[in-house]
Amino acid sequence: MNALGTQDDATITDEGLTLDSFSWNAVFRSETQIDEDGWTMEVSIPFRQLRFPKGESVDFGLMISRMINRKNERLIWPPIGLEFGGPWRVISAVSQYGVLRGLHNIRRGKNIEIKPYVITGIQQIREDFDIRDLTRTFERDIGVDFKYGITSNVTLDLTVNTDFAQVEADNVQLNLTRFSLFFPEKREFFLERSGLFEHGNPRSTQTFFSRRIGLSDQILTGARATGQFGRFSVGLLDIETGEGMGDTFGSKSTNNLVARVRTSLSSRATVGAILTNYAAPDRINRAFGMDAQYRFWSASEFEAWYTSVTDDGPAENGEAGHASLTLLNDKYGVEASFTSVGENFHPALGFVRRRDMRRFAGGAQYTPIVSFDAFPFVRQLAFESEYEYIESQMGELQSQEFEISIGAAFNRRDDIALEYSREFERLLVPFNIRPNARIPSGDYSFGRFILAGQTDSSRRLFGSAGTSVGAFFNGNRTDLELQLGFRQSRHLQVEAGVGYSRIDLPVANGRFDATTVSVELLGAVNRKLFATALVQYDNFTRDLQANIRIDWIHTPGSDLFFVFNTAYHFANPNEVFFDPHRDYILTNRAAVAKLTYLILL
């Protein structure tokens, strides 16, 4: 919460906190007041939003923190030292929290939440650029989400005819590699308690990745049960997908099942297992995995996991595993890891960026706090180096990279870094970096210099910039990135960004640009009525897209959404983008209204 009353919440899993963790979406209340002495805050968190065992007396872990941006200072109770790894790791070090005692005879009530929705809208789609008539459809639907606290620490969630029309649009990414891009999950039903179902290397080799569910079909119905039984955390997710509600549990529907269990061996050590089952009319795919984490000293950690996949029967090389050791405190850090991914590792409900590999990696860092007398404007320096060696399952070298960097963090959360990397890539087969540009197989070595920096995002005018130059597959590549933001007031913020890559390769059609442009507006009348607008363009698809979301929280946990989406395609790539006389065509336009209402029993 901040002085303006803005609220956010997150779920910490295994003493880890990332941007993806901010997805709890609990219903709680807070009020703030600004006066001549500063500002004060009052918070009310219903016990129904928390999980705790039954008993006459219950102890809660508690940490209270305040961030003072203008001084780049964090105040914490109880005191947790920087040896736990810096601001993010300090917040997530739950083993070091204080204890709130003296709460007796707590009751959560019935803990039943019913959240129906009504949606209506109109959509126009042009599937063929040569046809001038838009296909217009009028949509209207209803659905419901149901949450039931079976016990004080076991919760059941049900969803019927799930709709995600209000979900924000993805940021445009251009792929200049031969591997898949990762787009994070943004749907509320899958974000809640998502940390419990995590298994594998995030954004690289995940046994379960919820975004695979409903990728091509509609989510018809689903259930999720999560609970705590002593030292055991248990989660079960079961989703039915198909073309329409008439397919539910029928011969044409697909069942997506995930089961997760994890137990605490001590306050900082856990072991667990996961099972995923994808049952489609024409395919059955199962994955079974195990994992272990042990956190010791301050921010040091050992982690290991293993997953085996069967796809309509056993398959060779359908396994993946990982082990890593990190030794870290406030000044020094070293890390070593090993990852193996089989050639046929295809978990239907997972995400795999790269197969048929064995990766050996290591790194070291030195991050001393700088004396104010020596450098009055610098808070901390960072010296880091990383090395990775990737070979195939047969032991043949595929990739190799060495990085070294030096950076400085200033007193006001501004920072700058300079990096040099040396890479080797062996392409066993050619790949298309663009549909009409093909990089042949062979061995490639190239070095790159990178300079990047950013300013404190709490400033009224803030931004980030970066550039990199160097070789690229026997050619050259130059990258430029610029992000600027302006906070006009508490009611309006504007951010704009440009990404530009100049590629020059010694192949046919190997000289080209890769450009993305985005503008985002954040507007708020107050903390209950706000809107976002995201406009994006890239010169690969030549699509101009706009996503506008208006959200009115009419009661806590209940929303009225208005969503507008528009997409234009610019047909001639040789014309200037900002030419008002360009030949463009409307490909998609939609307007949707969605009303939800949370009923608490």
Side-chain angles (χ1 to χ4, degrees):
M1 291 142 285
N2 66 11
L4 300 179
T6 302
Q7 298 180 177
D8 206 351
D9 44 42
T11 302
I12 296 172
T13 304
D14 290 333
E15 295 198 345
L17 184 64
T18 68
L19 292 178
D20 296 334
S21 303
F22 288 83
S23 55
W24 180 20
N25 292 323
V27 179
F28 65 99
R29 298 175 182 271
S30 68
E31 295 292 341
T32 60
Q33 179 175 305
I34 302 175
D35 54 30
E36 63 276 6
D37 296 323
W39 66 283
T40 57
M41 176 179 66
E42 184 176 348
V43 187
S44 172
I45 303 175
F47 285 117
R48 67 186 301 143
Q49 298 294 339
L50 306 177
R51 305 289 177 263
F52 51 89
K54 288 184 177 180
E56 294 183 359
S57 178
V58 179
D59 295 342
F60 285 90
L62 177 66
M63 185 270 286
I64 300 173
S65 169
R66 181 192 174 195
M67 185 68 193
I68 306 175
N69 286 326
R70 69 180 184 275
K71 297 194 293 183
N72 191 15
E73 179 179 291
R74 183 180 295 279
L75 310 178
I76 295 180
W77 181 92
I80 302 176
L82 286 176
E83 66 272 13
F84 283 87
W88 281 101
R89 288 181 176 267
V90 165
I91 292 177
S92 59
V94 297
S95 61
Q96 307 303 307
Y97 284 10
V99 180
L100 175 63
R101 297 186 174 92
L103 300 178
H104 304 285
N105 300 317
I106 299 175
R107 297 291 182 268
R108 297 181 65 206
K110 297 180 181 179
N111 195 29
I112 297 176
E113 299 180 5
I114 303 174
K115 194 172 185 178
Y117 81 83
V118 179
I119 186 172
T120 183
I122 188 171
Q123 185 174 26
Q124 295 175 300
I125 299 178
R126 192 191 311 275
E127 298 182 356
D128 190 337
F129 295 152
D130 295 331
I131 299 177
R132 293 296 172 177
D133 293 332
L134 288 168
T135 301
R136 178 177 300 177
T137 57
F138 181 76
E139 302 288 344
R140 58 183 180 276
D141 211 345
I142 61 174
V144 64
D145 293 336
F146 176 84
K147 183 189 294 286
Y148 174 45
I150 300 175
T151 67
S152 62
N153 53 0
V154 178
T155 301
L156 173 67
D157 293 272
L158 301 175
T159 181
V160 178
N161 200 22
T162 313
D163 175 83
F164 301 109
Q166 79 281 8
V167 175
E168 62 186 283
D170 288 313
N171 293 326
V172 169
Q173 300 182 53
L174 299 184
N175 195 354
L176 298 176
T177 74
R178 62 189 190 276
F179 306 113
S180 300
L181 294 174
F182 181 90
F183 292 89
E185 178 64 86
K186 297 183 178 182
R187 297 171 296 180
E188 181 178 345
F189 182 81
F190 294 103
L191 288 173
E192 186 174 354
R193 294 305 303 271
S194 60
L196 176 61
F197 294 93
E198 292 176 355
H199 189 275
N201 294 346
R203 304 194 173 204
S204 175
T205 311
Q206 298 181 200
T207 304
F208 173 60
F209 178 47
S210 60
R211 188 142 181 175
R212 296 293 295 272
I213 299 177
L215 190 64
S216 57
D217 292 331
Q218 177 184 350
I219 294 179
L220 307 178
T221 185
R224 176 182 56 229
T226 57
Q228 189 82 21
F229 302 93
R231 290 180 175 268
F232 288 86
S233 298
V234 178
L236 182 66
L237 180 67
D238 193 7
I239 304 290
E240 197 78 12
T241 61
E243 295 182 359
M245 288 301 295
D247 293 339
T248 307
F249 306 114
S251 60
K252 296 182 179 180
S253 66
T254 297
N255 183 258
N256 307 266
L257 175 69
V258 185
R260 182 76 157 114
V261 60
R262 185 167 52 205
T263 182
S264 300
L265 302 180
S266 67
S267 63
R268 306 190 70 191
T270 60
V271 296
I274 189 171
L275 171 68
T276 70
N277 185 78
Y278 174 85
D282 57 348
R283 180 189 180 194
I284 295 179
N285 179 284
R286 293 188 179 94
F288 175 75
M290 300 175 291
D291 64 313
Q293 297 86 25
Y294 174 51
R295 294 165 298 281
F296 57 97
W297 295 342
S298 50
S300 300
E301 179 182 41
F302 171 78
E303 180 182 15
W305 60 265
Y306 167 83
T307 300
S308 176
V309 175
T310 59
D311 198 328
D312 289 329
E316 294 184 359
N317 298 321
E319 301 173 332
H322 169 86
S324 65
L325 175 65
T326 302
L327 305 178
L328 182 67
N329 59 25
D330 58 325
K331 186 177 294 186
Y332 301 99
V334 293
E335 180 181 10
S337 66
F338 169 74
T339 305
S340 176
V341 182
E343 183 179 0
N344 295 315
F345 184 70
H346 293 274
L349 297 181
F351 175 82
V352 184
R353 187 172 185 267
R354 185 169 184 168
R355 297 177 176 86
D356 186 23
M357 74 159 190
R358 291 198 293 254
R359 178 180 182 269
F360 303 84
Q365 66 179 43
Y366 175 54
T367 54
I369 301 294
V370 178
S371 167
F372 180 82
D373 294 333
F375 298 97
F377 301 105
V378 178
R379 175 71 61 88
Q380 189 174 34
L381 295 176
F383 304 90
E384 300 182 3
S385 64
E386 296 182 11
Y387 174 76
E388 73 170 7
Y389 180 95
I390 300 177
E391 63 183 19
S392 69
Q393 291 292 323
M394 300 299 293
E396 183 178 10
L397 174 63
Q398 293 182 346
S399 303
Q400 193 173 205
E401 182 175 4
F402 173 74
E403 298 179 359
I404 186 170
S405 66
I406 179 173
F410 301 98
N411 292 327
R412 183 63 193 275
R413 295 201 303 174
D414 309 318
D415 61 67
I416 190 171
L418 175 65
E419 176 184 313
Y420 173 75
S421 67
R422 186 71 185 176
E423 302 177 48
F424 170 84
E425 291 288 343
R426 173 169 293 164
L427 301 184
L428 300 179
V429 295
F431 84 96
N432 284 27
I433 192 170
R434 292 199 72 185
N436 62 349
R438 190 174 181 85
I439 298 179
S441 57
D443 292 350
Y444 300 89
S445 297
F446 39 90
R448 299 185 60 77
F449 286 95
I450 303 170
L451 177 64
Q454 63 180 356
T455 66
D456 181 6
S457 60
S458 68
R459 297 178 187 270
R460 188 169 187 179
L461 179 65
F462 57 93
S464 64
T467 181
S468 65
V469 295
F472 187 66
F473 291 106
N474 287 344
N476 297 300
R477 174 177 173 178
T478 301
D479 297 329
L480 297 172
E481 289 190 8
L482 178 64
Q483 296 279 342
L484 290 176
F486 175 66
R487 187 174 293 101
Q488 186 271 335
S489 67
R490 68 178 65 181
H491 302 292
L492 179 63
Q493 179 174 308
V494 182
E495 296 185 41
V498 176
Y500 173 81
S501 295
R502 180 63 174 173
I503 312 295
D504 189 359
L505 303 174
V507 299
N509 303 309
R511 187 182 179 90
F512 61 90
D513 299 335
T515 305
T516 61
V517 181
S518 66
V519 177
E520 184 173 14
L521 282 78
L522 309 174
V525 176
N526 50 52
R527 65 175 181 168
K528 295 183 178 181
L529 178 58
F530 48 91
T532 62
L534 177 62
V535 181
Q536 304 180 93
Y537 172 82
D538 74 272
N539 70 330
F540 273 29
T541 65
R542 301 193 301 278
D543 289 341
L544 177 66
Q545 307 173 50
N547 171 249
I548 301 173
R549 299 168 64 247
I550 301 173
D551 185 3
W552 174 39
I553 306 176
H554 52 88
T555 56
S558 306
D559 302 82
L560 174 60
F561 296 99
F562 293 98
V563 182
F564 305 92
N565 291 318
T566 304
Y568 289 90
H569 178 75
F570 292 84
N572 190 343
N574 297 319
E575 294 179 357
V576 179
F577 170 58
F578 294 104
D579 183 352
H581 302 294
R582 286 192 63 142
D583 181 18
Y584 63 89
I585 186 172
L586 175 67
T587 59
N588 184 14
R589 180 164 55 195
V592 176
K594 180 178 180 180
L595 175 65
T596 69
Y597 188 79
L598 179 62
I599 303 171
L600 302 177
L601 299 177

